Amino acid sequence: MQKANYITREGYLALDRELKYLWKEERPRVTQAVSDAAALGDRSENAEYIYGKRRLREIDRRVRFLTKRLEILTIVDPDPRLEGKVFFGAWVKLEDESGHAQIYRIVGADEFDPKKNWISINSPVARALIGHKVDDEISVMTPNGKAYFCILKISYTQII
């Protein structure tokens, strides 16, 4: 199955901010620190120099990744006509078989956050939810077997 390269506008802007910060602020600061450490002499035993060079490689790796990733991402803005069905960017309130309610937001793979209950569009739960409406029941295959959920509410404008 091909992974979706979708992202919300907020997620795209956050990645773009990170790229600009790394390139315009963090990298020049670390480069200067490495240059200062190199001026101190013996580089083989200079921890500041060695750490700085390692940090520069990490920054460069992340900058390359973000640059390539931002080129292929597709920003998806919620369409008001989608109200009533689950699609990308939706907040969805689900109830499991035991009556426990949980709210999830369907976002791109680059912005999912378990602490916020933001799930990737590529996750099994999100894939099962896409296209369904309130009061629909869905089943999701989990490591413990099938889990069943009922969709209680869908929103594109705010957390429900």
mmCIF file of all heavy atoms in Angstrom, residues 87-114:
data_model
loop_
_atom_site.group_PDB
_atom_site.id
_atom_site.type_symbol
_atom_site.label_atom_id
_atom_site.label_comp_id
_atom_site.label_asym_id
_atom_site.label_seq_id
_atom_site.Cartn_x
_atom_site.Cartn_y
_atom_site.Cartn_z
ATOM 1 N N PHE A 87 -12.697 12.452 6.601
ATOM 2 C CA PHE A 87 -11.624 12.544 5.629
ATOM 3 C C PHE A 87 -10.406 13.128 6.321
ATOM 4 O O PHE A 87 -10.436 13.399 7.527
ATOM 5 C CB PHE A 87 -12.036 13.403 4.420
ATOM 6 C CG PHE A 87 -13.094 12.771 3.569
ATOM 7 C CD1 PHE A 87 -14.401 13.213 3.617
ATOM 8 C CD2 PHE A 87 -12.780 11.705 2.731
ATOM 9 C CE1 PHE A 87 -15.386 12.616 2.845
ATOM 10 C CE2 PHE A 87 -13.756 11.102 1.951
ATOM 11 C CZ PHE A 87 -15.056 11.562 2.002
ATOM 12 N N PHE A 88 -9.362 13.372 5.573
ATOM 13 C CA PHE A 88 -8.124 13.899 6.118
ATOM 14 C C PHE A 88 -8.373 15.216 6.851
ATOM 15 O O PHE A 88 -9.089 16.075 6.379
ATOM 16 C CB PHE A 88 -7.108 14.128 4.991
ATOM 17 C CG PHE A 88 -5.770 14.592 5.469
ATOM 18 C CD1 PHE A 88 -4.831 13.681 5.906
ATOM 19 C CD2 PHE A 88 -5.463 15.937 5.498
ATOM 20 C CE1 PHE A 88 -3.596 14.108 6.360
ATOM 21 C CE2 PHE A 88 -4.233 16.375 5.941
ATOM 22 C CZ PHE A 88 -3.303 15.453 6.380
ATOM 23 N N GLY A 89 -7.772 15.370 8.029
ATOM 24 C CA GLY A 89 -7.886 16.590 8.810
ATOM 25 C C GLY A 89 -9.039 16.605 9.797
ATOM 26 O O GLY A 89 -9.187 17.555 10.558
ATOM 27 N N ALA A 90 -9.852 15.566 9.813
ATOM 28 C CA ALA A 90 -11.032 15.537 10.681
ATOM 29 C C ALA A 90 -10.667 15.185 12.118
ATOM 30 O O ALA A 90 -9.747 14.415 12.364
ATOM 31 C CB ALA A 90 -12.038 14.513 10.156
ATOM 32 N N TRP A 91 -11.420 15.774 13.044
ATOM 33 C CA TRP A 91 -11.417 15.314 14.425
ATOM 34 C C TRP A 91 -12.590 14.360 14.534
ATOM 35 O O TRP A 91 -13.707 14.672 14.118
ATOM 36 C CB TRP A 91 -11.635 16.478 15.391
ATOM 37 C CG TRP A 91 -10.421 17.288 15.677
ATOM 38 C CD1 TRP A 91 -9.416 16.982 16.549
ATOM 39 C CD2 TRP A 91 -10.070 18.550 15.122
ATOM 40 N NE1 TRP A 91 -8.470 17.979 16.566
ATOM 41 C CE2 TRP A 91 -8.851 18.953 15.696
ATOM 42 C CE3 TRP A 91 -10.670 19.383 14.185
ATOM 43 C CZ2 TRP A 91 -8.226 20.153 15.375
ATOM 44 C CZ3 TRP A 91 -10.057 20.574 13.861
ATOM 45 C CH2 TRP A 91 -8.839 20.944 14.453
ATOM 46 N N VAL A 92 -12.340 13.187 15.087
ATOM 47 C CA VAL A 92 -13.369 12.151 15.157
ATOM 48 C C VAL A 92 -13.475 11.645 16.591
ATOM 49 O O VAL A 92 -12.471 11.293 17.207
ATOM 50 C CB VAL A 92 -13.035 10.966 14.220
ATOM 51 C CG1 VAL A 92 -14.138 9.936 14.253
ATOM 52 C CG2 VAL A 92 -12.776 11.448 12.808
ATOM 53 N N LYS A 93 -14.710 11.622 17.095
ATOM 54 C CA LYS A 93 -14.950 11.067 18.428
ATOM 55 C C LYS A 93 -15.478 9.657 18.248
ATOM 56 O O LYS A 93 -16.501 9.447 17.585
ATOM 57 C CB LYS A 93 -15.946 11.932 19.196
ATOM 58 C CG LYS A 93 -16.137 11.494 20.631
ATOM 59 C CD LYS A 93 -16.997 12.498 21.385
ATOM 60 C CE LYS A 93 -17.057 12.161 22.857
ATOM 61 N NZ LYS A 93 -17.839 13.170 23.605
ATOM 62 N N LEU A 94 -14.762 8.701 18.830
ATOM 63 C CA LEU A 94 -15.111 7.285 18.699
ATOM 64 C C LEU A 94 -15.466 6.701 20.054
ATOM 65 O O LEU A 94 -14.937 7.131 21.079
ATOM 66 C CB LEU A 94 -13.923 6.481 18.157
ATOM 67 C CG LEU A 94 -13.393 6.830 16.786
ATOM 68 C CD1 LEU A 94 -12.167 5.982 16.484
ATOM 69 C CD2 LEU A 94 -14.457 6.614 15.736
ATOM 70 N N GLU A 95 -16.312 5.709 20.026
ATOM 71 C CA GLU A 95 -16.629 4.960 21.245
ATOM 72 C C GLU A 95 -16.292 3.505 20.991
ATOM 73 O O GLU A 95 -16.681 2.937 19.966
ATOM 74 C CB GLU A 95 -18.116 5.123 21.577
ATOM 75 C CG GLU A 95 -18.524 4.422 22.851
ATOM 76 C CD GLU A 95 -19.993 4.638 23.152
ATOM 77 O OE1 GLU A 95 -20.822 4.171 22.343
ATOM 78 O OE2 GLU A 95 -20.289 5.266 24.174
ATOM 79 N N ASP A 96 -15.551 2.899 21.925
ATOM 80 C CA ASP A 96 -15.201 1.493 21.750
ATOM 81 C C ASP A 96 -16.289 0.603 22.350
ATOM 82 O O ASP A 96 -17.302 1.087 22.854
ATOM 83 C CB ASP A 96 -13.821 1.179 22.341
ATOM 84 C CG ASP A 96 -13.745 1.397 23.843
ATOM 85 O OD1 ASP A 96 -14.801 1.489 24.501
ATOM 86 O OD2 ASP A 96 -12.612 1.465 24.367
ATOM 87 N N GLU A 97 -16.076 -0.699 22.296
ATOM 88 C CA GLU A 97 -17.089 -1.665 22.743
ATOM 89 C C GLU A 97 -17.422 -1.542 24.222
ATOM 90 O O GLU A 97 -18.531 -1.869 24.638
ATOM 91 C CB GLU A 97 -16.604 -3.087 22.453
ATOM 92 C CG GLU A 97 -16.459 -3.372 20.979
ATOM 93 C CD GLU A 97 -15.793 -4.708 20.734
ATOM 94 O OE1 GLU A 97 -14.555 -4.754 20.779
ATOM 95 O OE2 GLU A 97 -16.537 -5.688 20.510
ATOM 96 N N SER A 98 -16.475 -1.059 25.013
ATOM 97 C CA SER A 98 -16.721 -0.942 26.456
ATOM 98 C C SER A 98 -17.355 0.401 26.821
ATOM 99 O O SER A 98 -17.567 0.684 27.997
ATOM 100 C CB SER A 98 -15.411 -1.129 27.232
ATOM 101 O OG SER A 98 -14.496 -0.106 26.902
ATOM 102 N N GLY A 99 -17.634 1.259 25.833
ATOM 103 C CA GLY A 99 -18.288 2.533 26.081
ATOM 104 C C GLY A 99 -17.324 3.680 26.335
ATOM 105 O O GLY A 99 -17.744 4.793 26.627
ATOM 106 N N HIS A 100 -16.036 3.428 26.204
ATOM 107 C CA HIS A 100 -15.019 4.465 26.417
ATOM 108 C C HIS A 100 -14.902 5.316 25.155
ATOM 109 O O HIS A 100 -14.680 4.799 24.063
ATOM 110 C CB HIS A 100 -13.678 3.804 26.755
ATOM 111 C CG HIS A 100 -12.576 4.775 26.977
ATOM 112 N ND1 HIS A 100 -11.656 5.072 26.011
ATOM 113 C CD2 HIS A 100 -12.256 5.535 28.057
ATOM 114 C CE1 HIS A 100 -10.806 5.962 26.477
ATOM 115 N NE2 HIS A 100 -11.152 6.262 27.723
ATOM 116 N N ALA A 101 -15.050 6.643 25.309
ATOM 117 C CA ALA A 101 -14.967 7.557 24.162
ATOM 118 C C ALA A 101 -13.554 8.125 24.050
ATOM 119 O O ALA A 101 -12.891 8.387 25.053
ATOM 120 C CB ALA A 101 -15.975 8.678 24.300
ATOM 121 N N GLN A 102 -13.107 8.311 22.820
ATOM 122 C CA GLN A 102 -11.773 8.844 22.539
ATOM 123 C C GLN A 102 -11.866 9.743 21.318
ATOM 124 O O GLN A 102 -12.608 9.451 20.377
ATOM 125 C CB GLN A 102 -10.808 7.688 22.266
ATOM 126 C CG GLN A 102 -9.378 8.071 22.191
ATOM 127 C CD GLN A 102 -8.797 8.493 23.531
ATOM 128 O OE1 GLN A 102 -9.108 7.920 24.556
ATOM 129 N NE2 GLN A 102 -7.983 9.517 23.517
ATOM 130 N N ILE A 103 -11.095 10.844 21.330
ATOM 131 C CA ILE A 103 -11.084 11.774 20.193
ATOM 132 C C ILE A 103 -9.748 11.658 19.469
ATOM 133 O O ILE A 103 -8.688 11.671 20.103
ATOM 134 C CB ILE A 103 -11.302 13.223 20.668
ATOM 135 C CG1 ILE A 103 -12.669 13.357 21.328
ATOM 136 C CG2 ILE A 103 -11.176 14.197 19.493
ATOM 137 C CD1 ILE A 103 -12.893 14.683 22.017
ATOM 138 N N TYR A 104 -9.796 11.535 18.145
ATOM 139 C CA TYR A 104 -8.601 11.457 17.315
ATOM 140 C C TYR A 104 -8.684 12.513 16.223
ATOM 141 O O TYR A 104 -9.781 12.881 15.787
ATOM 142 C CB TYR A 104 -8.477 10.091 16.633
ATOM 143 C CG TYR A 104 -8.288 8.948 17.589
ATOM 144 C CD1 TYR A 104 -9.351 8.125 17.933
ATOM 145 C CD2 TYR A 104 -7.045 8.685 18.138
ATOM 146 C CE1 TYR A 104 -9.180 7.065 18.811
ATOM 147 C CE2 TYR A 104 -6.858 7.629 19.017
ATOM 148 C CZ TYR A 104 -7.933 6.830 19.350
ATOM 149 O OH TYR A 104 -7.749 5.792 20.224
ATOM 150 N N ARG A 105 -7.524 12.964 15.771
ATOM 151 C CA ARG A 105 -7.470 13.815 14.584
ATOM 152 C C ARG A 105 -6.644 13.079 13.543
ATOM 153 O O ARG A 105 -5.568 12.558 13.842
ATOM 154 C CB ARG A 105 -6.821 15.162 14.880
ATOM 155 C CG ARG A 105 -6.856 16.055 13.635
ATOM 156 C CD ARG A 105 -6.361 17.435 13.882
ATOM 157 N NE ARG A 105 -6.614 18.248 12.680
ATOM 158 C CZ ARG A 105 -5.947 19.334 12.381
ATOM 159 N NH1 ARG A 105 -5.005 19.773 13.193
ATOM 160 N NH2 ARG A 105 -6.209 20.004 11.281
ATOM 161 N N ILE A 106 -7.113 13.050 12.318
ATOM 162 C CA ILE A 106 -6.412 12.374 11.234
ATOM 163 C C ILE A 106 -5.510 13.392 10.544
ATOM 164 O O ILE A 106 -5.989 14.375 9.982
ATOM 165 C CB ILE A 106 -7.402 11.748 10.235
ATOM 166 C CG1 ILE A 106 -8.293 10.736 10.965
ATOM 167 C CG2 ILE A 106 -6.651 11.096 9.089
ATOM 168 C CD1 ILE A 106 -9.398 10.158 10.121
ATOM 169 N N VAL A 107 -4.204 13.144 10.619
ATOM 170 C CA VAL A 107 -3.205 14.062 10.077
ATOM 171 C C VAL A 107 -2.204 13.287 9.227
ATOM 172 O O VAL A 107 -2.280 12.066 9.127
ATOM 173 C CB VAL A 107 -2.472 14.826 11.210
ATOM 174 C CG1 VAL A 107 -3.433 15.731 11.964
ATOM 175 C CG2 VAL A 107 -1.774 13.873 12.145
ATOM 176 N N GLY A 108 -1.247 13.993 8.667
ATOM 177 C CA GLY A 108 -0.217 13.365 7.851
ATOM 178 C C GLY A 108 0.805 12.608 8.687
ATOM 179 O O GLY A 108 0.944 12.834 9.887
ATOM 180 N N ALA A 109 1.551 11.749 8.036
ATOM 181 C CA ALA A 109 2.554 10.928 8.721
ATOM 182 C C ALA A 109 3.645 11.779 9.360
ATOM 183 O O ALA A 109 4.262 11.357 10.335
ATOM 184 C CB ALA A 109 3.171 9.941 7.737
ATOM 185 N N ASP A 110 3.869 12.983 8.847
ATOM 186 C CA ASP A 110 4.915 13.854 9.377
ATOM 187 C C ASP A 110 4.478 14.635 10.606
ATOM 188 O O ASP A 110 5.291 15.307 11.218
ATOM 189 C CB ASP A 110 5.364 14.848 8.300
ATOM 190 C CG ASP A 110 5.997 14.146 7.130
ATOM 191 O OD1 ASP A 110 7.152 13.729 7.262
ATOM 192 O OD2 ASP A 110 5.317 13.986 6.102
ATOM 193 N N GLU A 111 3.214 14.572 10.947
ATOM 194 C CA GLU A 111 2.734 15.390 12.057
ATOM 195 C C GLU A 111 1.955 14.612 13.112
ATOM 196 O O GLU A 111 1.435 15.203 14.056
ATOM 197 C CB GLU A 111 1.886 16.547 11.526
ATOM 198 C CG GLU A 111 0.749 16.112 10.646
ATOM 199 C CD GLU A 111 0.033 17.267 9.968
ATOM 200 O OE1 GLU A 111 -0.021 18.374 10.533
ATOM 201 O OE2 GLU A 111 -0.471 17.045 8.860
ATOM 202 N N PHE A 112 1.894 13.280 12.996
ATOM 203 C CA PHE A 112 1.140 12.528 13.991
ATOM 204 C C PHE A 112 1.792 12.701 15.364
ATOM 205 O O PHE A 112 2.991 12.889 15.495
ATOM 206 C CB PHE A 112 1.014 11.044 13.605
ATOM 207 C CG PHE A 112 2.203 10.199 13.946
ATOM 208 C CD1 PHE A 112 2.236 9.501 15.133
ATOM 209 C CD2 PHE A 112 3.280 10.120 13.091
ATOM 210 C CE1 PHE A 112 3.336 8.726 15.461
ATOM 211 C CE2 PHE A 112 4.383 9.352 13.400
ATOM 212 C CZ PHE A 112 4.408 8.650 14.595
ATOM 213 N N ASP A 113 0.955 12.681 16.396
ATOM 214 C CA ASP A 113 1.433 12.902 17.759
ATOM 215 C C ASP A 113 0.537 12.129 18.721
ATOM 216 O O ASP A 113 -0.589 12.557 18.995
ATOM 217 C CB ASP A 113 1.413 14.394 18.081
ATOM 218 C CG ASP A 113 2.014 14.731 19.435
ATOM 219 O OD1 ASP A 113 2.253 13.808 20.239
ATOM 220 O OD2 ASP A 113 2.240 15.927 19.695
ATOM 221 N N PRO A 114 1.015 11.012 19.244
ATOM 222 C CA PRO A 114 0.186 10.209 20.159
ATOM 223 C C PRO A 114 -0.268 10.975 21.405
ATOM 224 O O PRO A 114 -1.342 10.721 21.925
ATOM 225 C CB PRO A 114 1.097 9.052 20.549
ATOM 226 C CG PRO A 114 2.145 8.996 19.494
ATOM 227 C CD PRO A 114 2.297 10.389 18.986
#
